[in-house]
PDB file of all heavy atoms in Angstrom:
ATOM      1  N   ASP A   1     104.718 145.956 112.922  1.00 98.00           N
ATOM      2  CA  ASP A   1     104.137 147.177 113.473  1.00 98.00           C
ATOM      3  C   ASP A   1     105.210 148.056 114.110  1.00 98.00           C
ATOM      4  O   ASP A   1     106.271 147.613 114.481  1.00 98.00           O
ATOM      5  CB  ASP A   1     103.071 146.781 114.546  1.00 98.00           C
ATOM      6  CG  ASP A   1     101.922 145.994 113.970  1.00 98.00           C
ATOM      7  OD1 ASP A   1     101.516 146.329 112.843  1.00 98.00           O
ATOM      8  OD2 ASP A   1     101.451 145.062 114.659  1.00 98.00           O
ATOM      9  N   SER A   2     104.905 149.331 114.203  1.00 98.00           N
ATOM     10  CA  SER A   2     105.836 150.279 114.801  1.00 98.00           C
ATOM     11  C   SER A   2     107.191 150.115 114.235  1.00 98.00           C
ATOM     12  O   SER A   2     108.203 150.077 114.953  1.00 98.00           O
ATOM     13  CB  SER A   2     105.865 150.105 116.325  1.00 98.00           C
ATOM     14  OG  SER A   2     104.559 150.240 116.916  1.00 98.00           O
ATOM     15  N   VAL A   3     107.288 150.153 112.899  1.00 98.00           N
ATOM     16  CA  VAL A   3     108.591 149.914 112.271  1.00 98.00           C
ATOM     17  C   VAL A   3     109.526 151.062 112.548  1.00 98.00           C
ATOM     18  O   VAL A   3     109.128 152.199 112.752  1.00 98.00           O
ATOM     19  CB  VAL A   3     108.414 149.660 110.757  1.00 98.00           C
ATOM     20  CG1 VAL A   3     107.626 148.400 110.566  1.00 98.00           C
ATOM     21  CG2 VAL A   3     107.809 150.875 110.084  1.00 98.00           C
ATOM     22  N   LYS A   4     110.831 150.761 112.500  1.00 98.00           N
ATOM     23  CA  LYS A   4     111.917 151.694 112.784  1.00 98.00           C
ATOM     24  C   LYS A   4     112.814 151.732 111.565  1.00 98.00           C
ATOM     25  O   LYS A   4     112.889 150.778 110.800  1.00 98.00           O
ATOM     26  CB  LYS A   4     112.640 151.265 114.014  1.00 98.00           C
ATOM     27  CG  LYS A   4     111.824 151.079 115.271  1.00 98.00           C
ATOM     28  CD  LYS A   4     112.661 150.603 116.392  1.00 98.00           C
ATOM     29  CE  LYS A   4     111.872 150.362 117.666  1.00 98.00           C
ATOM     30  NZ  LYS A   4     112.675 149.873 118.792  1.00 98.00           N
ATOM     31  N   PRO A   5     113.569 152.805 111.435  1.00 97.00           N
ATOM     32  CA  PRO A   5     114.608 152.873 110.334  1.00 97.00           C
ATOM     33  C   PRO A   5     115.532 151.638 110.347  1.00 97.00           C
ATOM     34  O   PRO A   5     115.966 151.180 109.265  1.00 97.00           O
ATOM     35  CB  PRO A   5     115.346 154.189 110.575  1.00 97.00           C
ATOM     36  CG  PRO A   5     114.313 155.010 111.273  1.00 97.00           C
ATOM     37  CD  PRO A   5     113.544 154.066 112.131  1.00 97.00           C
ATOM     38  N   GLU A   6     115.875 151.162 111.487  1.00 97.00           N
ATOM     39  CA  GLU A   6     116.790 149.989 111.559  1.00 97.00           C
ATOM     40  C   GLU A   6     116.119 148.707 111.119  1.00 97.00           C
ATOM     41  O   GLU A   6     116.817 147.661 111.010  1.00 97.00           O
ATOM     42  CB  GLU A   6     117.371 149.863 112.969  1.00 97.00           C
ATOM     43  CG  GLU A   6     116.309 149.866 114.100  1.00 97.00           C
ATOM     44  CD  GLU A   6     116.171 151.221 114.735  1.00 97.00           C
ATOM     45  OE1 GLU A   6     116.072 152.271 113.975  1.00 97.00           O
ATOM     46  OE2 GLU A   6     116.022 151.278 115.974  1.00 97.00           O
ATOM     47  N   ASP A   7     114.858 148.705 110.815  1.00 98.00           N
ATOM     48  CA  ASP A   7     114.193 147.555 110.202  1.00 98.00           C
ATOM     49  C   ASP A   7     114.415 147.434 108.733  1.00 98.00           C
ATOM     50  O   ASP A   7     114.033 146.454 108.106  1.00 98.00           O
ATOM     51  CB  ASP A   7     112.690 147.538 110.542  1.00 98.00           C
ATOM     52  CG  ASP A   7     112.396 147.393 112.053  1.00 98.00           C
ATOM     53  OD1 ASP A   7     113.096 146.644 112.712  1.00 98.00           O
ATOM     54  OD2 ASP A   7     111.475 148.046 112.532  1.00 98.00           O
ATOM     55  N   THR A   8     115.001 148.502 108.129  1.00 98.00           N
ATOM     56  CA  THR A   8     115.271 148.499 106.734  1.00 98.00           C
ATOM     57  C   THR A   8     116.181 147.326 106.318  1.00 98.00           C
ATOM     58  O   THR A   8     117.271 147.215 106.875  1.00 98.00           O
ATOM     59  CB  THR A   8     115.931 149.795 106.267  1.00 98.00           C
ATOM     60  OG1 THR A   8     114.966 150.888 106.519  1.00 98.00           O
ATOM     61  CG2 THR A   8     116.307 149.784 104.806  1.00 98.00           C
ATOM     62  N   ALA A   9     115.723 146.541 105.407  1.00 98.00           N
ATOM     63  CA  ALA A   9     116.452 145.370 104.969  1.00 98.00           C
ATOM     64  C   ALA A   9     115.697 144.634 103.870  1.00 98.00           C
ATOM     65  O   ALA A   9     114.552 144.912 103.595  1.00 98.00           O
ATOM     66  CB  ALA A   9     116.704 144.371 106.149  1.00 98.00           C
ATOM     67  N   VAL A  10     116.365 143.664 103.225  1.00 98.00           N
ATOM     68  CA  VAL A  10     115.657 142.686 102.451  1.00 98.00           C
ATOM     69  C   VAL A  10     115.256 141.545 103.338  1.00 98.00           C
ATOM     70  O   VAL A  10     116.062 141.052 104.119  1.00 98.00           O
ATOM     71  CB  VAL A  10     116.648 142.135 101.288  1.00 98.00           C
ATOM     72  CG1 VAL A  10     115.854 141.099 100.480  1.00 98.00           C
ATOM     73  CG2 VAL A  10     117.097 143.271 100.415  1.00 98.00           C
ATOM     74  N   TYR A  11     113.954 141.240 103.265  1.00 98.00           N
ATOM     75  CA  TYR A  11     113.403 140.200 104.164  1.00 98.00           C
ATOM     76  C   TYR A  11     113.199 138.906 103.347  1.00 98.00           C
ATOM     77  O   TYR A  11     112.646 138.962 102.259  1.00 98.00           O
ATOM     78  CB  TYR A  11     112.104 140.686 104.691  1.00 98.00           C
ATOM     79  CG  TYR A  11     112.278 141.636 105.869  1.00 98.00           C
ATOM     80  CD1 TYR A  11     112.718 142.966 105.614  1.00 98.00           C
ATOM     81  CD2 TYR A  11     112.027 141.279 107.169  1.00 98.00           C
ATOM     82  CE1 TYR A  11     112.953 143.850 106.629  1.00 98.00           C
ATOM     83  CE2 TYR A  11     112.197 142.148 108.221  1.00 98.00           C
ATOM     84  CZ  TYR A  11     112.667 143.412 107.995  1.00 98.00           C
ATOM     85  OH  TYR A  11     112.871 144.280 108.996  1.00 98.00           O
ATOM     86  N   TYR A  12     113.603 137.783 103.917  1.00 98.00           N
ATOM     87  CA  TYR A  12     113.606 136.528 103.279  1.00 98.00           C
ATOM     88  C   TYR A  12     112.706 135.552 104.137  1.00 98.00           C
ATOM     89  O   TYR A  12     112.842 135.526 105.373  1.00 98.00           O
ATOM     90  CB  TYR A  12     114.966 135.901 103.166  1.00 98.00           C
ATOM     91  CG  TYR A  12     115.894 136.680 102.343  1.00 98.00           C
ATOM     92  CD1 TYR A  12     116.747 137.667 102.883  1.00 98.00           C
ATOM     93  CD2 TYR A  12     115.974 136.464 100.929  1.00 98.00           C
ATOM     94  CE1 TYR A  12     117.614 138.349 102.110  1.00 98.00           C
ATOM     95  CE2 TYR A  12     116.858 137.205 100.123  1.00 98.00           C
ATOM     96  CZ  TYR A  12     117.688 138.128 100.752  1.00 98.00           C
ATOM     97  OH  TYR A  12     118.554 138.858  99.995  1.00 98.00           O
ATOM     98  N   CYS A  13     111.939 134.801 103.416  1.00 98.00           N
ATOM     99  CA  CYS A  13     111.207 133.691 104.040  1.00 98.00           C
ATOM    100  C   CYS A  13     112.002 132.383 103.796  1.00 98.00           C
ATOM    101  O   CYS A  13     112.553 132.202 102.691  1.00 98.00           O
ATOM    102  CB  CYS A  13     109.832 133.612 103.358  1.00 98.00           C
ATOM    103  SG  CYS A  13     108.856 132.159 103.765  1.00 98.00           S
ATOM    104  N   ALA A  14     112.080 131.565 104.760  1.00 98.00           N
ATOM    105  CA  ALA A  14     112.832 130.276 104.646  1.00 98.00           C
ATOM    106  C   ALA A  14     112.063 129.163 105.284  1.00 98.00           C
ATOM    107  O   ALA A  14     111.232 129.385 106.193  1.00 98.00           O
ATOM    108  CB  ALA A  14     114.208 130.446 105.315  1.00 98.00           C
ATOM    109  N   ALA A  15     112.354 127.924 104.867  1.00 97.00           N
ATOM    110  CA  ALA A  15     111.650 126.817 105.399  1.00 97.00           C
ATOM    111  C   ALA A  15     112.633 125.631 105.583  1.00 97.00           C
ATOM    112  O   ALA A  15     113.585 125.491 104.913  1.00 97.00           O
ATOM    113  CB  ALA A  15     110.533 126.376 104.418  1.00 97.00           C
ATOM    114  N   ARG A  16     112.268 124.825 106.584  1.00 96.00           N
ATOM    115  CA  ARG A  16     113.048 123.596 106.851  1.00 96.00           C
ATOM    116  C   ARG A  16     112.037 122.522 107.286  1.00 96.00           C
ATOM    117  O   ARG A  16     111.044 122.813 107.975  1.00 96.00           O
ATOM    118  CB  ARG A  16     114.115 123.769 107.905  1.00 96.00           C
ATOM    119  CG  ARG A  16     113.666 124.268 109.213  1.00 96.00           C
ATOM    120  CD  ARG A  16     114.754 124.236 110.253  1.00 96.00           C
ATOM    121  NE  ARG A  16     114.845 122.947 110.915  1.00 96.00           N
ATOM    122  CZ  ARG A  16     116.001 122.337 111.121  1.00 96.00           C
ATOM    123  NH1 ARG A  16     117.110 122.882 110.812  1.00 96.00           N
ATOM    124  NH2 ARG A  16     116.034 121.137 111.724  1.00 96.00           N
ATOM    125  N   VAL A  17     112.302 121.338 106.863  1.00 94.00           N
ATOM    126  CA  VAL A  17     111.452 120.177 107.280  1.00 94.00           C
ATOM    127  C   VAL A  17     111.556 119.978 108.795  1.00 94.00           C
ATOM    128  O   VAL A  17     112.653 119.956 109.300  1.00 94.00           O
ATOM    129  CB  VAL A  17     111.814 118.941 106.516  1.00 94.00           C
ATOM    130  CG1 VAL A  17     110.979 117.747 107.066  1.00 94.00           C
ATOM    131  CG2 VAL A  17     111.601 119.094 105.047  1.00 94.00           C
ATOM    132  N   GLU A  18     110.438 119.944 109.438  1.00 94.00           N
ATOM    133  CA  GLU A  18     110.431 119.693 110.880  1.00 94.00           C
ATOM    134  C   GLU A  18     109.317 118.775 111.218  1.00 94.00           C
ATOM    135  O   GLU A  18     108.114 119.148 111.244  1.00 94.00           O
ATOM    136  CB  GLU A  18     110.251 121.082 111.560  1.00 94.00           C
ATOM    137  CG  GLU A  18     110.465 121.053 113.095  1.00 94.00           C
ATOM    138  CD  GLU A  18     111.803 120.372 113.412  1.00 94.00           C
ATOM    139  OE1 GLU A  18     112.850 120.984 113.140  1.00 94.00           O
ATOM    140  OE2 GLU A  18     111.809 119.227 113.943  1.00 94.00           O
ATOM    141  N   TYR A  19     109.678 117.552 111.515  1.00 89.00           N
ATOM    142  CA  TYR A  19     108.646 116.563 111.782  1.00 89.00           C
ATOM    143  C   TYR A  19     108.155 116.549 113.230  1.00 89.00           C
ATOM    144  O   TYR A  19     107.137 115.908 113.573  1.00 89.00           O
ATOM    145  CB  TYR A  19     109.157 115.113 111.469  1.00 89.00           C
ATOM    146  CG  TYR A  19     109.388 114.934 110.017  1.00 89.00           C
ATOM    147  CD1 TYR A  19     110.642 114.723 109.478  1.00 89.00           C
ATOM    148  CD2 TYR A  19     108.311 114.968 109.097  1.00 89.00           C
ATOM    149  CE1 TYR A  19     110.779 114.540 108.134  1.00 89.00           C
ATOM    150  CE2 TYR A  19     108.447 114.774 107.760  1.00 89.00           C
ATOM    151  CZ  TYR A  19     109.749 114.591 107.256  1.00 89.00           C
ATOM    152  OH  TYR A  19     109.972 114.445 105.876  1.00 89.00           O
ATOM    153  N   TYR A  20     108.852 117.330 114.118  1.00 91.00           N
ATOM    154  CA  TYR A  20     108.397 117.380 115.487  1.00 91.00           C
ATOM    155  C   TYR A  20     107.418 118.538 115.633  1.00 91.00           C
ATOM    156  O   TYR A  20     107.841 119.720 115.553  1.00 91.00           O
ATOM    157  CB  TYR A  20     109.604 117.521 116.422  1.00 91.00           C
ATOM    158  CG  TYR A  20     110.485 116.338 116.447  1.00 91.00           C
ATOM    159  CD1 TYR A  20     111.673 116.292 115.697  1.00 91.00           C
ATOM    160  CD2 TYR A  20     110.173 115.220 117.278  1.00 91.00           C
ATOM    161  CE1 TYR A  20     112.465 115.186 115.768  1.00 91.00           C
ATOM    162  CE2 TYR A  20     110.977 114.129 117.316  1.00 91.00           C
ATOM    163  CZ  TYR A  20     112.129 114.091 116.483  1.00 91.00           C
ATOM    164  OH  TYR A  20     112.945 112.977 116.521  1.00 91.00           O
ATOM    165  N   ASP A  21     106.183 118.203 115.924  1.00 91.00           N
ATOM    166  CA  ASP A  21     105.239 119.297 116.119  1.00 91.00           C
ATOM    167  C   ASP A  21     105.619 120.199 117.322  1.00 91.00           C
ATOM    168  O   ASP A  21     106.242 119.690 118.259  1.00 91.00           O
ATOM    169  CB  ASP A  21     103.868 118.722 116.354  1.00 91.00           C
ATOM    170  CG  ASP A  21     103.255 118.015 115.176  1.00 91.00           C
ATOM    171  OD1 ASP A  21     103.761 118.255 114.089  1.00 91.00           O
ATOM    172  OD2 ASP A  21     102.295 117.264 115.276  1.00 91.00           O
ATOM    173  N   ASP A  22     105.301 121.372 117.223  1.00 92.00           N
ATOM    174  CA  ASP A  22     105.509 122.393 118.241  1.00 92.00           C
ATOM    175  C   ASP A  22     106.983 122.884 118.317  1.00 92.00           C
ATOM    176  O   ASP A  22     107.242 123.765 119.114  1.00 92.00           O
ATOM    177  CB  ASP A  22     105.115 121.943 119.635  1.00 92.00           C
ATOM    178  CG  ASP A  22     103.615 121.640 119.718  1.00 92.00           C
ATOM    179  OD1 ASP A  22     102.826 122.308 118.997  1.00 92.00           O
ATOM    180  OD2 ASP A  22     103.235 120.765 120.500  1.00 92.00           O
ATOM    181  N   TYR A  23     107.871 122.236 117.609  1.00 95.00           N
ATOM    182  CA  TYR A  23     109.298 122.633 117.716  1.00 95.00           C
ATOM    183  C   TYR A  23     109.533 123.886 116.850  1.00 95.00           C
ATOM    184  O   TYR A  23     109.208 123.904 115.648  1.00 95.00           O
ATOM    185  CB  TYR A  23     110.203 121.528 117.317  1.00 95.00           C
ATOM    186  CG  TYR A  23     111.691 121.907 117.357  1.00 95.00           C
ATOM    187  CD1 TYR A  23     112.354 122.065 118.608  1.00 95.00           C
ATOM    188  CD2 TYR A  23     112.429 122.139 116.191  1.00 95.00           C
ATOM    189  CE1 TYR A  23     113.638 122.385 118.645  1.00 95.00           C
ATOM    190  CE2 TYR A  23     113.787 122.463 116.237  1.00 95.00           C
ATOM    191  CZ  TYR A  23     114.354 122.622 117.491  1.00 95.00           C
ATOM    192  OH  TYR A  23     115.673 122.940 117.547  1.00 95.00           O
ATOM    193  N   VAL A  24     110.226 124.873 117.507  1.00 95.00           N
ATOM    194  CA  VAL A  24     110.583 126.068 116.767  1.00 95.00           C
ATOM    195  C   VAL A  24     112.117 126.038 116.575  1.00 95.00           C
ATOM    196  O   VAL A  24     112.863 126.090 117.550  1.00 95.00           O
ATOM    197  CB  VAL A  24     110.166 127.375 117.535  1.00 95.00           C
ATOM    198  CG1 VAL A  24     110.548 128.594 116.700  1.00 95.00           C
ATOM    199  CG2 VAL A  24     108.714 127.335 117.839  1.00 95.00           C
ATOM    200  N   PRO A  25     112.591 126.006 115.373  1.00 94.00           N
ATOM    201  CA  PRO A  25     113.995 125.926 115.114  1.00 94.00           C
ATOM    202  C   PRO A  25     114.720 127.185 115.619  1.00 94.00           C
ATOM    203  O   PRO A  25     114.128 128.229 115.583  1.00 94.00           O
ATOM    204  CB  PRO A  25     114.132 125.765 113.590  1.00 94.00           C
ATOM    205  CG  PRO A  25     112.801 125.331 113.151  1.00 94.00           C
ATOM    206  CD  PRO A  25     111.847 125.935 114.121  1.00 94.00           C
ATOM    207  N   ARG A  26     115.954 127.033 116.004  1.00 93.00           N
ATOM    208  CA  ARG A  26     116.765 128.207 116.286  1.00 93.00           C
ATOM    209  C   ARG A  26     117.150 128.896 114.968  1.00 93.00           C
ATOM    210  O   ARG A  26     117.102 128.342 113.939  1.00 93.00           O
ATOM    211  CB  ARG A  26     118.012 127.796 117.029  1.00 93.00           C
ATOM    212  CG  ARG A  26     117.741 127.238 118.408  1.00 93.00           C
ATOM    213  CD  ARG A  26     119.056 127.051 119.128  1.00 93.00           C
ATOM    214  NE  ARG A  26     118.880 126.548 120.499  1.00 93.00           N
ATOM    215  CZ  ARG A  26     118.894 125.241 120.859  1.00 93.00           C
ATOM    216  NH1 ARG A  26     119.181 124.355 119.876  1.00 93.00           N
ATOM    217  NH2 ARG A  26     118.725 124.896 122.069  1.00 93.00           N
ATOM    218  N   PHE A  27     117.489 130.191 115.087  1.00 94.00           N
ATOM    219  CA  PHE A  27     117.819 130.931 113.849  1.00 94.00           C
ATOM    220  C   PHE A  27     119.091 130.370 113.187  1.00 94.00           C
ATOM    221  O   PHE A  27     119.250 130.498 111.967  1.00 94.00           O
ATOM    222  CB  PHE A  27     118.068 132.395 114.213  1.00 94.00           C
ATOM    223  CG  PHE A  27     116.825 133.099 114.659  1.00 94.00           C
ATOM    224  CD1 PHE A  27     116.778 133.870 115.775  1.00 94.00           C
ATOM    225  CD2 PHE A  27     115.641 133.107 113.869  1.00 94.00           C
ATOM    226  CE1 PHE A  27     115.648 134.539 116.207  1.00 94.00           C
ATOM    227  CE2 PHE A  27     114.520 133.737 114.288  1.00 94.00           C
ATOM    228  CZ  PHE A  27     114.494 134.464 115.479  1.00 94.00           C
TER     229      PHE A  27
END
């Protein structure tokens, strides 16, 4: 929402196996 010109990019979805529920990986 409220996108800006600096949001212009190719956007990628990525996945990693994470067996610990609730854990959010760092970028």
Side-chain angles (χ1 to χ4, degrees):
D1 297 321
S2 303
V3 296
K4 304 175 180 179
E6 51 264 43
D7 294 323
T8 295
V10 177
Y11 283 72
Y12 298 92
C13 171
R16 56 172 277 137
V17 174
E18 191 51 72
Y19 291 115
Y20 293 99
D21 290 347
D22 297 331
Y23 179 72
V24 183
R26 294 189 178 93
F27 292 129

